[in-house]
Amino acid sequence: MTELDQQQRDHLRALDDAYARVLEAQRLDGVLLYSGHPARHFGDDQHASFAAYGHFIHWTGQAELAHCWLLVRPGQVPVLYLHAPADYWHLPARLPEAPWVDHFRVVPRDRADPPALPPGRHAVLGDVAPADASALGAELNPAALVTALDELRVRKSDYEASCLREANRCAMQGHRAAREAFLAGGAELDIQLAYLGASRQRESALPYGNIVGVNAHGGVLHYQHYALEAPPRRHSLLVDGGHRHRGYCADITRSWAGPDADPLFAPLVAGVTALQRRLIGELAPGVSFVALHRQMHEGLAALLVAHGLVTASPEAALASGITRAFCPHGLGHLLGVQVHDVAGRLDGEGHPLPPPAEHPALRLTRELEAGMVVTMEPGLYVIPMLLAAHRGSPEIDWERVDRLASHGGIRIEDNVRVTGRGPDNLTPQDE
Ligand code: GLY
Ligand code: MN
Ligand code: MN
């Protein structure tokens, strides 16, 4: 057994105990987790790409297994119903030869419908048709159970942290290749293909669609295209790229000045990077992530003033909301088997913790705890749609801002584990 195998065995034993506690508290005899199935294009025989339900991945690490079911009952060996029909069109699903498989009783099936349940009160979770849940006599996605199981994913085990670290290592290989492809004159598609090749993954296995923005596209927060031609002048590159390892996601962003960058741009990239490192240094149990998000805005206000984009004081820039026009997203979010992991806006008892009204995009409003893994991703963008509301404001040096518009934006994003001994940055740091 490798050290990772041992960590995984401990992870699964802890899940056995935690599920037993939750199910007993909810007076349930068991829960059936459905991995899910890919959506089919309407009127067609082609399917969309697929990722399994998070709670199924939490046990199995298998993000690509469709039509599978996992039955968990306190005190019993969990049963994994593996959909593996005899098929000459496709390769039937197979589990890896790995020690973790012995934690389960594996039942291969050629049927995709739910397996029969033993007597007792059960819930079924996942993308299940209500008629199928009724036929089973099971409650479908009861909110209290989902909330309690989501909470089990908030603090990562050592095994999960190891998987997230490995996902980060692989993603960073992609980021290095992406930067080289950009500097060599590649178009967005070339950069994306270089990323996929170096990180050894097909596009449909990514935890989210990579964002590859050259020039102004870097200011489109979830830019979704890959241009086939490089622009004649290359000002900037923003790559937000991921990777999965055993189901666990990396979510890393890097921003680079291009050969035609305005002299204002590279110092701003350095400024956002320094701000990000400073904020990572603040990560500790007991810290409010909302307070850290506000600190990001204070840091952005100072940066905007220091680089001459804003002529008012940092305090005035904060008060007038200008920093929110330059960065409309949150400082970060929980990360795990989903890139935007669950329960970021609930307290430990499942009560809602909505974001402050002026920061509606903030996905993590909890107090930090040891074991949480968060992204730290301050950004600074020139987004014409948002800056339009401030056009004419004498607090902004529009000549400088307009010079930066063709650079889109900057985001620096790492994945960090919160511990009682200081932040553990899972993202390899290239200098
Ligand atoms: N890649 C999406 C995000 O950073 O949240
Ligand atoms: Mn990202
Ligand atoms: Mn992110």
Side-chain angles (χ1 to χ4, degrees):
M1 265 210 187
T2 64
E3 191 186 339
L4 190 65
D5 291 334
Q6 287 168 21
Q7 287 181 336
Q8 189 174 20
R9 183 194 56 200
D10 295 345
H11 169 76
L12 289 171
R13 286 180 180 167
L15 266 187
D16 286 336
D17 293 345
Y19 263 61
R21 270 200 314 279
V22 167
L23 291 171
E24 275 156 22
Q26 309 265 335
R27 302 188 193 294
L28 284 161
D29 296 300
V31 59
L32 184 65
L33 303 173
Y34 179 45
S35 70
H37 52 267
R40 195 167 63 194
H41 304 313
F42 185 70
D44 196 348
D45 63 356
Q46 301 296 308
H47 291 88
S49 61
F50 170 74
Y53 181 41
H55 289 301
F56 181 86
I57 304 176
H58 198 201
W59 282 91
T60 63
Q62 304 293 299
E64 296 180 13
L65 282 184
H67 304 291
C68 293
W69 303 83
L70 178 64
L71 178 62
V72 182
R73 288 161 49 91
Q76 315 244 348
V77 174
V79 186
L80 175 53
Y81 296 95
L82 180 72
H83 183 242
D87 186 357
Y88 49 81
W89 293 101
H90 305 97
L91 194 66
R94 277 180 48 191
L95 295 175
E97 304 223 345
W100 69 266
V101 175
D102 294 340
H103 195 84
F104 300 87
R105 182 160 74 83
V106 178
V107 179
R109 299 172 90 220
D110 51 13
R111 297 172 55 168
D113 58 345
L117 289 172
R121 187 171 164 236
H122 290 80
V124 56
L125 301 193
D127 185 11
V128 176
D132 284 342
S134 312
L136 283 171
E139 293 172 55
L140 178 57
N141 295 319
L145 177 64
V146 172
T147 301
L149 296 182
D150 284 354
E151 185 63 23
L152 299 181
R153 284 167 43 190
V154 168
R155 289 154 295 275
K156 270 61 185 182
S157 62
D158 290 342
Y159 169 71
E160 295 179 288
S162 296
C163 292
L164 288 161
R165 197 185 304 278
E166 179 62 11
N168 267 257
R169 191 185 67 76
C170 297
M172 201 40 116
Q173 291 176 341
H175 278 276
R176 290 185 198 114
R179 184 185 182 210
E180 281 164 23
F182 172 61
L183 294 178
E188 288 169 354
L189 181 67
D190 302 309
I191 297 167
Q192 165 76 338
L193 294 174
Y195 183 103
L196 294 172
S199 56
R200 308 293 299 155
Q201 57 187 327
R202 61 192 291 177
E203 200 167 54
S204 60
L206 286 167
Y208 56 92
N210 278 357
I211 299 162
V212 178
V214 170
N215 293 352
H217 293 157
V220 180
L221 296 180
H222 284 170
Y223 173 65
Q224 72 276 42
H225 302 294
Y226 305 105
L228 302 186
E229 304 292 338
R233 292 176 62 75
R234 289 170 300 132
H235 302 291
S236 65
L237 170 68
L238 183 152
V239 177
D240 185 341
H243 197 280
R244 274 191 198 268
H245 183 72
R246 296 178 171 217
Y248 288 84
C249 306
D251 177 13
I252 300 172
T253 310
R254 291 292 181 264
S255 302
W256 305 106
D260 304 306
D262 188 283
L264 282 172
F265 188 70
L268 272 174
V269 175
V272 175
T273 304
L275 172 62
Q276 191 240 24
R277 292 199 176 158
R278 204 162 68 240
L279 293 169
I280 287 175
E282 301 286 324
L283 289 171
V287 169
S288 150
F289 203 77
V290 175
L292 278 185
H293 174 84
R294 293 192 202 280
Q295 263 179 263
M296 171 182 80
H297 278 279
E298 288 166 19
L300 289 175
L303 260 184
L304 289 165
V305 172
H307 293 261
L309 302 178
V310 165
T311 51
S313 67
E315 295 73 23
L318 270 179
S320 62
I322 287 174
T323 59
R324 285 181 272 137
F326 282 99
C327 181
H329 62 67
L331 171 61
H333 49 85
L334 293 172
L335 183 71
V337 293
Q338 290 170 217
V339 70
H340 297 148
D341 214 359
V342 289
R345 288 176 169 179
L346 297 175
D347 69 12
E349 268 79 54
H351 303 121
L353 287 176
E358 67 278 25
H359 300 289
L362 183 59
R363 296 179 196 269
L364 176 55
T365 52
R366 298 175 70 126
E367 200 173 89
L368 296 174
E369 297 172 51
M372 287 181 174
V373 173
V374 299
T375 67
M376 292 294 276
E377 49 182 306
L380 199 165
Y381 313 85
V382 177
I383 302 175
M385 181 180 149
L386 297 181
L387 288 172
H390 298 269
R391 262 299 152 185
S393 161
E395 293 185 329
I396 294 180
D397 184 330
W398 290 103
E399 188 273 328
R400 291 167 87 81
V401 169
D402 290 340
R403 269 165 53 197
L404 286 171
S406 57
H407 300 60
I410 300 163
R411 179 162 67 255
I412 306 293
E413 177 176 24
D414 285 357
N415 305 163
V416 188
R417 188 185 195 196
V418 179
T419 84
R421 305 170 306 283
D424 177 13
N425 195 336
L426 305 177
T427 307
Q429 300 297 300
D430 284 355
E431 294 310 326

